[in-house]
Amino acid sequence: MAGDKDDLSRVGLKRVLGQNRPSSSTLPDDVSNSGVEMIVPRVNGYGGSGIESFEEYFARWPLELGNFPRDVVENWVYRHWQDFGRHWLDRDLSRFEFHLVELTNSEVMRIGHIKDWMQTLDYWGDELFRCASRSATWLAKSMLDCGTSPAPIIIAPQASGMYHPTGEPMHDTQLIEGHLRLAYLRGMIRHNHSSLQERHEVWAVCLPRDSFELPGSQAGGS
């Protein structure tokens, strides 16, 4: 059930963690999610000073996508509408299953991303401790003070064998949303930051495998 909080030590990492797309400039006000007839509302005013508030946006969120927790809608769909609208609308969103879990620091360090993104994230994480302009931002201050992320990142467990909407093969524990938060958290872990907490809340989303299979993987599969 969306919003359930599970301790990863009880649930188990392996169980829970277990085309033509429109450009952002041409997305209509309401976008039909192909195959399941779902309507994902556009974020009005995104990218400008007149963006609608999250409360206004969430009031238009469809009941058919009630599997998306409010926190996920805000931090993934609303705040990253350009990316979400470009890459995720043609997936079977109604079958996404979200679980709020807790990861240890060693489990956080096993989260991966496509291509060479992890090198970039670790560069940002190192800058957190050597660049005053980066450590002075509100996010950096919050994480350095509290020892964890102010909002759970989103990961897809057991994603090996699936492909990211960009076309790249996914990591077994794939980062979905929260690049900068993961970068800073990894930096705090690697630098043994004094306020670092032992566990961190994370949204684990179980993706419908048939919507993310690598091209040709269905044929002859066991």
Side-chain angles (χ1 to χ4, degrees), residues 153-197:
I153 65 173
I154 305 173
I155 61 172
Q158 291 191 316
S160 179
M162 292 190 275
Y163 74 99
H164 193 272
T166 59
E168 297 290 336
M170 290 194 193
H171 189 275
D172 187 54
T173 306
Q174 173 66 43
L175 175 67
I176 300 296
E177 187 279 325
H179 296 66
L180 196 53
R181 281 169 282 152
L182 179 60
Y184 290 175
L185 190 54
R186 285 176 60 91
M188 291 164 60
I189 294 170
R190 291 185 295 109
H191 287 262
N192 298 310
H193 185 60
S194 59
S195 70
L196 179 67
Q197 297 188 21

Side-chain angles (χ1 to χ4, degrees), residues 17-131:
L17 303 185
Q19 71 245 102
N20 292 320
R21 303 183 184 91
S23 68
S24 59
S25 61
T26 59
L27 287 172
D29 289 341
D30 294 297
V31 186
S32 177
N33 187 35
S34 60
V36 292
E37 301 298 326
M38 294 296 171
I39 302 298
V40 178
R42 182 188 182 97
V43 179
N44 293 327
Y46 185 85
S49 59
I51 184 173
E52 66 181 323
S53 69
F54 174 68
E55 295 296 333
E56 292 172 321
Y57 180 73
F58 193 64
R60 296 187 290 113
W61 189 254
L63 295 177
E64 295 89 345
L65 291 179
N67 54 311
F68 273 64
R70 177 189 177 97
D71 179 68
V72 170
V73 176
E74 180 173 12
N75 288 295
W76 188 16
V77 184
Y78 174 75
R79 296 188 184 277
H80 298 89
W81 171 250
Q82 183 175 4
D83 176 79
F84 190 88
R86 179 186 297 126
H87 294 303
W88 296 90
L89 292 178
D90 62 350
R91 307 298 158 159
D92 199 346
L93 301 177
S94 65
R95 293 168 60 202
F96 285 27
E97 297 180 13
F98 293 90
H99 303 265
L100 188 60
V101 302
E102 291 184 339
L103 299 188
T104 64
N105 289 322
S106 60
E107 288 169 334
V108 167
M109 293 300 292
R110 291 200 290 271
I111 298 171
H113 202 8
I114 59 175
K115 301 175 77 172
D116 58 355
W117 258 101
M118 298 311 296
Q119 297 178 27
T120 300
L121 299 190
D122 284 343
Y123 176 80
W124 293 345
D126 286 338
E127 273 200 332
L128 184 64
F129 294 92
R130 68 187 182 206
C131 179

